[in-house]
Amino acid sequence: MQAYKQLEERFGQIQALKQVSSLIDWDKSVMMPEKGGFQRARQMEVLNVKIHEMQTDPAVGDWLSAVNRNDLTAWEQANVRIIEWLYAHATAVPAQLVARKMNQQTKTEMIWRKARVESDFKLVRDELERLLDIVREFASAKATKLNKPLYDALFDNYSPGMTSAEVDIIFDDIGAFIPGFLNDVMAKQKPALPLKGPFPVETQKKLCLQIAQFLGMEPQWSRLDASAHPFSMGIGDDVRITTRFNEKDFTNAMQAVAHEVGHGLYDRYTPREWHSQPVGASLHMGLAIHESQSLSLDQQLARSREYWEFMAPHVQRAFGKEGAPELSAENLYRHVTTVSRGFIRVEADEVAYPAHVIMRYRLEKRMVESKLEVKDLPDAWNAEFEKLIGVEPPNDRLGCLQDIHWYMGAFGYFPTYALGAFLAAQYVDKIKRDTPDYNDQMRAGKFSTLTSWLTGNVQMKGCLYTPMELVERATGQKMSTSYFKKHLTERYLS
Amino acid sequence: MQAYKQLEERFGQIQALKQVSSLIDWDKSVMMPEKGGFQRARQMEVLNVKIHEMQTDPAVGDWLSAVNRNDLTAWEQANVRIIEWLYAHATAVPAQLVARKMNQQTKTEMIWRKARVESDFKLVRDELERLLDIVREFASAKATKLNKPLYDALFDNYSPGMTSAEVDIIFDDIGAFIPGFLNDVMAKQKPALPLKGPFPVETQKKLCLQIAQFLGMEPQWSRLDASAHPFSMGIGDDVRITTRFNEKDFTNAMQAVAHEVGHGLYDRYTPREWHSQPVGASLHMGLAIHESQSLSLDQQLARSREYWEFMAPHVQRAFGKEGAPELSAENLYRHVTTVSRGFIRVEADEVAYPAHVIMRYRLEKRMVESKLEVKDLPDAWNAEFEKLIGVEPPNDRLGCLQDIHWYMGAFGYFPTYALGAFLAAQYVDKIKRDTPDYNDQMRAGKFSTLTSWLTGNVQMKGCLYTPMELVERATGQKMSTSYFKKHLTERYLS
């Protein structure tokens, strides 16, 4: 058989098993009875070891060497590029080191849960030190094999082809912009009327299903459930998103739905004929592009005045509170655009959010490069936080213990959260320039003007282009922070 | 590594992947969005091909030859016996024939769905002929390898170690008993007062959850959902059962819950330290023993007068109909013990049910042995039905098109449905002899007297014994039909 066909066959199987892995992971968070965790961990382990074996098989390397790219279509060439990237990452680290990392992650994460509850960093310090040692070893193995700087070798796994040098430029620019901007917004903003809950979960759930449909998620190929942390899972024509319900504030669930629908549409609208190959899996475009889809909906659209002008009557009707002043479009808009100096990233507003990310990026890069040690992390955290957000966290639970990422060994992940926000602003700026009555369309609930642009320019392209090529083709411009700053200025200061 | 340890490692992985396969199959029936089927079929295929490869690896044969059974504990020896049985079945048929069978099954099942709706056997006749040809070839390959008669080679897959010669004796006995008994019951029985629906699905669901708990299924390790056909799935501490709701008759859902809880308890209470090995998977005891667990609850318990004396007040309270005469214990008992000459197996009562199974067994055995051809099936069906149940089906939808089994290539499965009923009667007879106030305990809702006997004598034994050894150890007697006949006589004619 031709080398390319061999690769397609193998990675078609791998793709199917990865879908199974996503599915049982979804099940774990949404459906599994409480005591099922022990067996589930074992199932995940066996399945993922099997996938790893199939991916690191030396035959894959042979096929990659033998494949003649000139004989291939553009999609097939892109598929080979992704397979090469997957193979390089999977084979860069000895199996024994992968196992040690997994093992240390599990331990560290377990103790982190306790440390966070008790707000006591010392409890987890030693385990995190051990984990960071392994992460450094891991980064070093990858750096050698992939011929990249230490941090970049990790970051590349989450954002293929991007470098920390590029991130530095972008984050330095935004990092310099935010503190002053935050001051200006906070001096100017007027408080929203408080929402008057409780808002029954069942009603919120119905409302969220309606919103998901308004945003283009059709029930024939999707589900909406509840889980402790909102997330999405998409495998072809089977897209599942979750949200969480707060009885005091229904906008939490609504924003999470807009966010996760963005991810879900991406999974749904990569080209169907490539769903079973790596080039058709949105994940392989990296998390910055994925996040640009969710934030186009969650931030660009669902925090806009026009969106709330359309939504407010639906909200009022759902809760049987027609005409309630706190549920007016203006007040709801004000509610979801309130800016604050909060300590928690996942509760942060659109203005402060990038600052939360930037400080984590700076810290984790220094940790990986052995310029910051675990024992000094809490102080370094608090100093960075004060510099960017202007206040100091009162304890570690509201500081360096708040996110799971480092404690589960995920270094190099954070930057993607902010890059997605900048890209979303760049897309919407482009769409608005091409669609003069864009705001009227949003006000009328014609959200497909936004979503079908995303589908046509991003989602349907699968992994045909590299992330930065894709952005340039879609918007006519290289990635830039100027659109995000313009967007914030228009929404928050005009 | 020692040969036994190699087998444990390999079959521990296989066991985990089979659990994953069960889980995504459950998801398909209960959670998957409508359009997810295409990708799911592919995921199932890849996963099961992988399992098949791991199971038929020649190394497994080498380890089995090398293992020294004298060094092993009784549980380890039983584990080897099950592995040997799995290996023998998996390697008995060439991969190419397995693939041809799978392919023809899919085609036949698809056309069967249409044929059933249109009640037109001719539509599916040719495809079923092709499938039967392949099934005969398949049976012949297995018969040679396993050194068993043709039909037994298929039956052994569903009921390890049992022979059709044994089944013949049992079914001839019960087949001779039922027609006259059915006449006697129908001449004597008094009709129940009709139930006055509709009974809201939400209320039924709450009631069913309560009943599942009464029967010993705890929410920490279980789920109850709805699906088109009730079924159960159990992987260690993660047991999931389904039921279906009929707004006119809540007893349908209640009986299905009792039935599926029986299966679920079996999965839950095989010994935890063996959950990850074949010897700890209840499925490997065969479906007759599995069905004996579900029918101990569904038939023996949940069609008894005492059960309904306990349940009636809960039912009345659930539907807000305290004191309603049609919801009295006596009337509900009468309702679930009404005997009829219905055409459909899955709707059959406890008396007619074995007759439905016996006729299918006789027909499928003749088909496998080339003594009955597909073109003659409808007539043969109607003649057998008339002989055992006393009426002739008016059309094929109510006749030989009603069950999916043959159309999906499952020959040798049916007998287990009836064998389970006979065993359940044998268990409960034993328990009643050992527990003089058994009926009072059931009346008081102390169902654990029944379920803990099942746990201690059947479920906790895993696959330590062969099915027939297990029955003899548990009840002190070889498997016998006399208990079932005694049970029916006491319940329906005394």
Side-chain angles (χ1 to χ4, degrees):
Chain A
M1 211 193 303
Q2 215 191 324
Y4 177 74
K5 285 291 156 203
Q6 300 267 25
L7 288 170
E8 263 205 352
E9 192 190 340
R10 172 64 60 89
F11 280 81
Q13 292 166 354
I14 289 172
Q15 196 56 23
L17 294 182
K18 284 184 176 175
Q19 292 174 350
V20 172
S21 176
S22 301
L23 192 71
I24 68 175
D25 198 48
W26 171 87
D27 183 272
K28 187 179 97 174
S29 302
V30 185
M31 294 293 160
M32 188 180 74
E34 179 189 329
K35 299 224 171 186
F38 176 77
Q39 296 278 115
R40 183 57 48 85
R42 169 75 180 151
Q43 292 151 10
M44 292 293 284
E45 184 201 332
V46 171
L47 184 60
N48 286 303
V49 165
K50 197 47 71 184
I51 292 169
H52 187 74
E53 279 172 22
M54 292 165 75
Q55 213 161 234
T56 55
D57 180 356
V60 172
D62 297 341
W63 296 327
L64 281 169
S65 309
V67 77
N68 186 345
R69 290 168 208 232
N70 297 328
D71 297 346
L72 303 180
T73 66
W75 278 94
E76 290 169 341
Q77 286 180 28
N79 201 26
V80 171
R81 177 172 48 77
I82 303 295
I83 290 173
E84 219 161 23
W85 171 70
L86 287 168
Y87 181 70
H89 273 277
T91 54
V93 185
Q96 186 265 351
L97 178 54
V98 174
R100 264 171 58 218
K101 181 163 179 270
M102 294 263 289
N103 187 32
Q104 185 59 36
Q105 280 167 204
T106 308
K107 271 195 218 160
T108 312
E109 184 187 324
M110 214 168 62
I111 294 168
W112 163 73
R113 291 189 187 280
K114 189 173 148 64
R116 187 172 65 157
V117 169
E118 304 193 7
S119 193
D120 185 356
F121 182 73
K122 283 193 307 300
L123 287 180
V124 71
R125 197 182 56 196
D126 292 353
E127 292 298 345
L128 183 60
E129 251 169 33
R130 278 180 211 116
L131 180 55
L132 181 58
D133 281 345
I134 297 176
V135 165
R136 284 167 180 167
E137 211 180 315
F138 192 91
S140 162
K142 281 208 171 184
T144 307
K145 175 76 183 271
L146 305 175
N147 195 24
K148 289 182 188 293
L150 270 187
Y151 182 83
D152 291 41
L154 300 178
F155 178 49
D156 186 73
N157 192 41
Y158 302 108
S159 195
M162 246 195 128
T163 67
S164 61
E166 293 167 312
V167 175
D168 281 332
I169 294 170
I170 291 168
F171 280 8
D172 284 351
D173 179 49
I174 297 289
F177 170 79
I178 287 178
F181 188 80
L182 198 58
N183 283 338
D184 294 349
V185 174
M186 291 194 66
K188 179 178 179 290
Q189 75 184 351
K190 297 194 192 87
L193 300 172
L195 302 179
K196 292 177 187 158
F199 301 97
V201 167
E202 278 311 304
T203 315
Q204 288 195 48
K205 182 154 192 195
K206 275 186 203 140
L207 180 62
C208 283
L209 273 167
Q210 193 186 16
I211 288 162
Q213 274 195 269
F214 283 141
L215 295 171
M217 209 177 87
E218 295 163 25
Q220 299 95 304
W221 48 262
S222 67
R223 294 184 56 89
L224 168 62
D225 298 277
S227 67
H229 301 279
F231 73 105
S232 79
M233 184 222 69
I235 45 179
D237 287 340
D238 183 350
V239 169
R240 306 178 182 197
I241 67 168
T242 72
T243 186
R244 61 177 157 195
F245 299 104
N246 172 354
E247 288 215 313
K248 291 185 188 153
D249 186 350
F250 59 87
T251 67
N252 296 4
M254 281 181 72
Q255 291 303 124
V257 165
H259 187 97
E260 302 306 337
V261 166
H263 287 302
L265 293 175
Y266 197 177
D267 287 319
R268 173 66 185 77
Y269 288 117
T270 55
R272 185 158 306 161
E273 64 271 37
W274 292 102
H275 273 171
S276 63
Q277 288 291 313
V279 74
S282 61
L283 190 64
H284 298 143
M285 276 302 272
L287 300 175
I289 302 292
H290 230 299
E291 204 69 7
S292 76
Q293 304 303 289
S294 54
L295 293 178
S296 289
L297 271 62
D298 165 5
Q299 293 190 349
Q300 292 294 317
L301 175 62
R303 293 178 202 265
S304 71
R305 190 185 300 272
E306 295 76 24
Y307 178 81
W308 288 99
E309 285 175 14
F310 175 79
M311 285 298 172
H314 293 285
V315 168
Q316 294 174 17
R317 208 173 304 129
F319 296 111
K321 295 187 175 181
E322 279 89 346
E326 77 278 11
L327 301 185
S328 71
E330 180 58 26
N331 194 61
L332 289 172
Y333 169 65
R334 199 173 284 181
H335 186 75
V336 300
T337 54
T338 298
V339 169
S340 74
R341 301 187 200 274
F343 298 109
I344 300 290
R345 177 183 60 86
V346 296
E347 295 166 3
D349 55 83
E350 196 179 8
V351 175
Y353 193 84
H356 286 263
V357 171
I358 291 167
M359 58 160 290
R360 283 161 178 76
Y361 163 73
R362 289 172 179 170
L363 294 172
E364 70 177 8
K365 189 156 178 288
R366 283 160 60 198
M367 282 195 278
V368 170
E369 291 169 346
S370 301
K371 292 172 187 162
L372 173 64
E373 293 307 322
V374 166
K375 67 175 171 44
D376 303 318
L377 177 59
D379 287 344
W381 178 287
N382 294 350
E384 280 289 334
F385 199 87
E386 213 280 331
K387 203 163 76 187
L388 281 165
I389 317 269
V391 287
E392 196 171 309
N395 59 48
D396 292 336
R397 193 169 58 78
L398 295 173
C400 66
L401 284 172
Q402 68 181 269
D403 287 315
I404 194 174
H405 302 61
W406 296 335
Y407 304 93
M408 59 179 268
F411 286 74
Y413 188 118
F414 278 121
T416 63
Y417 287 129
L419 297 171
F422 310 153
L423 289 172
Q426 185 163 344
Y427 302 150
V428 172
D429 184 85
K430 164 73 174 159
I431 303 170
K432 282 183 174 169
R433 277 184 284 121
D434 293 347
T435 316
D437 63 342
Y438 178 82
N439 284 344
D440 291 339
Q441 295 196 16
M442 296 304 110
R443 197 175 284 120
K446 289 184 185 157
F447 305 135
S448 66
T449 303
L450 168 61
T451 54
S452 64
W453 187 95
L454 294 171
T455 297
N457 290 279
V458 179
Q459 296 158 3
M460 282 179 63
K461 305 300 181 188
C463 305
L464 183 58
Y465 309 116
T466 65
M468 292 302 111
E469 272 170 23
L470 176 88
V471 170
E472 201 172 339
R473 281 173 179 267
T475 65
Q477 303 286 333
K478 286 198 191 308
M479 180 177 179
S480 156
T481 53
S482 61
Y483 306 99
F484 184 68
K485 291 188 285 187
K486 180 177 160 210
H487 156 70
L488 289 188
T489 307
E490 285 176 6
R491 182 170 287 170
Y492 292 89
L493 285 185
S494 73
Chain B
M1 211 192 303
Q2 215 190 325
Y4 176 73
K5 284 292 156 202
Q6 300 268 25
L7 288 170
E8 263 204 353
E9 192 190 341
R10 173 64 59 90
F11 280 82
Q13 292 166 353
I14 289 172
Q15 196 55 25
L17 294 181
K18 284 184 176 173
Q19 292 173 351
V20 172
S21 176
S22 300
L23 192 71
I24 69 175
D25 198 50
W26 171 87
D27 182 273
K28 187 179 98 174
S29 301
V30 185
M31 294 293 160
M32 188 180 76
E34 180 188 326
K35 299 222 171 187
F38 177 78
Q39 296 278 114
R40 183 58 47 87
R42 169 76 179 148
Q43 292 151 10
M44 291 292 284
E45 184 201 330
V46 171
L47 184 59
N48 286 302
V49 164
K50 198 46 70 185
I51 291 170
H52 186 74
E53 279 171 24
M54 292 166 75
Q55 212 161 232
T56 56
D57 180 355
V60 172
D62 296 341
W63 296 326
L64 280 170
S65 309
V67 77
N68 185 345
R69 290 170 209 230
N70 297 330
D71 297 347
L72 304 180
T73 66
W75 277 94
E76 289 169 342
Q77 286 181 28
N79 202 25
V80 170
R81 175 171 51 77
I82 303 294
I83 291 173
E84 218 160 27
W85 171 71
L86 289 167
Y87 181 70
H89 273 278
T91 56
V93 184
Q96 185 266 352
L97 179 54
V98 174
R100 265 171 57 217
K101 181 163 179 269
M102 294 262 291
N103 187 31
Q104 185 59 36
Q105 281 167 204
T106 308
K107 271 195 216 160
T108 311
E109 184 187 324
M110 212 168 65
I111 294 168
W112 164 73
R113 292 189 186 279
K114 189 172 148 66
R116 187 172 66 155
V117 169
E118 304 194 7
S119 192
D120 186 355
F121 182 74
K122 284 193 305 300
L123 288 179
V124 70
R125 197 181 55 195
D126 293 354
E127 293 298 345
L128 183 60
E129 251 168 34
R130 279 180 212 115
L131 180 55
L132 181 58
D133 280 344
I134 297 176
V135 166
R136 285 169 179 165
E137 212 179 317
F138 193 90
S140 161
K142 282 209 169 183
T144 307
K145 176 76 183 271
L146 307 175
N147 194 25
K148 286 181 190 295
L150 271 187
Y151 181 83
D152 292 40
L154 300 178
F155 178 49
D156 186 71
N157 192 41
Y158 303 107
S159 194
M162 245 196 129
T163 67
S164 62
E166 293 167 314
V167 174
D168 281 332
I169 293 170
I170 290 167
F171 280 8
D172 284 350
D173 179 50
I174 296 289
F177 170 79
I178 287 177
F181 187 80
L182 198 58
N183 283 338
D184 294 348
V185 175
M186 292 193 67
K188 178 178 178 292
Q189 75 183 352
K190 298 195 190 87
L193 299 173
L195 302 178
K196 291 176 186 159
F199 300 97
V201 167
E202 279 310 306
T203 314
Q204 288 194 48
K205 183 154 191 195
K206 275 185 204 142
L207 180 61
C208 283
L209 274 167
Q210 193 185 15
I211 289 163
Q213 276 196 266
F214 283 141
L215 294 171
M217 210 177 87
E218 295 162 25
Q220 300 94 303
W221 48 263
S222 68
R223 293 186 54 91
L224 169 63
D225 297 278
S227 68
H229 301 279
F231 73 105
S232 78
M233 185 222 67
I235 44 179
D237 287 339
D238 182 349
V239 169
R240 306 179 182 196
I241 68 169
T242 73
T243 188
R244 59 177 158 195
F245 299 104
N246 172 355
E247 288 214 313
K248 291 185 187 149
D249 185 349
F250 59 87
T251 67
N252 296 2
M254 281 182 71
Q255 290 303 126
V257 165
H259 186 98
E260 302 306 337
V261 166
H263 287 302
L265 293 176
Y266 197 176
D267 287 319
R268 173 66 185 76
Y269 288 117
T270 55
R272 184 158 306 160
E273 65 270 37
W274 291 103
H275 273 170
S276 64
Q277 287 293 312
V279 73
S282 61
L283 190 64
H284 298 144
M285 276 303 272
L287 300 175
I289 302 293
H290 230 299
E291 204 69 8
S292 77
Q293 303 304 288
S294 53
L295 293 178
S296 289
L297 271 62
D298 166 5
Q299 294 190 349
Q300 292 295 317
L301 174 63
R303 292 177 203 267
S304 71
R305 192 185 297 271
E306 295 76 24
Y307 178 81
W308 288 99
E309 284 175 15
F310 176 78
M311 284 298 173
H314 293 284
V315 168
Q316 294 175 16
R317 207 172 306 128
F319 295 113
K321 295 187 175 181
E322 279 89 347
E326 76 279 10
L327 300 185
S328 71
E330 179 59 26
N331 195 61
L332 290 172
Y333 168 65
R334 200 173 282 181
H335 186 76
V336 300
T337 54
T338 298
V339 169
S340 74
R341 300 185 200 278
F343 298 109
I344 299 290
R345 177 182 61 85
V346 297
E347 295 167 3
D349 54 82
E350 195 180 9
V351 175
Y353 194 84
H356 286 264
V357 171
I358 291 168
M359 59 160 291
R360 283 161 176 77
Y361 163 72
R362 289 173 178 170
L363 294 172
E364 72 177 8
K365 189 157 178 286
R366 284 161 58 197
M367 282 195 278
V368 170
E369 292 170 346
S370 300
K371 292 172 186 161
L372 173 64
E373 293 307 322
V374 165
K375 67 175 172 42
D376 302 319
L377 177 60
D379 288 344
W381 178 287
N382 293 350
E384 280 288 333
F385 199 86
E386 213 280 330
K387 205 164 74 186
L388 281 166
I389 317 267
V391 288
E392 196 171 308
N395 59 48
D396 292 337
R397 194 169 57 78
L398 296 173
C400 66
L401 284 172
Q402 68 182 271
D403 287 316
I404 195 175
H405 302 62
W406 296 335
Y407 305 93
M408 60 179 267
F411 287 74
Y413 187 118
F414 278 121
T416 62
Y417 287 129
L419 297 172
F422 311 153
L423 290 173
Q426 184 163 342
Y427 303 151
V428 172
D429 184 86
K430 163 73 174 158
I431 304 171
K432 281 184 175 170
R433 276 185 284 121
D434 294 347
T435 315
D437 64 341
Y438 178 83
N439 284 345
D440 290 338
Q441 296 197 15
M442 296 305 111
R443 198 175 284 120
K446 291 184 185 158
F447 305 136
S448 66
T449 302
L450 168 61
T451 53
S452 64
W453 188 95
L454 294 172
T455 297
N457 289 279
V458 179
Q459 296 157 3
M460 282 179 64
K461 304 301 179 187
C463 305
L464 184 57
Y465 309 117
T466 66
M468 292 303 111
E469 271 169 23
L470 176 88
V471 170
E472 202 171 337
R473 281 174 178 268
T475 65
Q477 302 287 332
K478 285 197 191 307
M479 180 179 180
S480 156
T481 53
S482 60
Y483 306 100
F484 184 67
K485 290 189 286 187
K486 181 179 161 207
H487 156 69
L488 289 189
T489 306
E490 283 176 7
R491 181 170 288 171
Y492 290 90
L493 285 186
S494 72

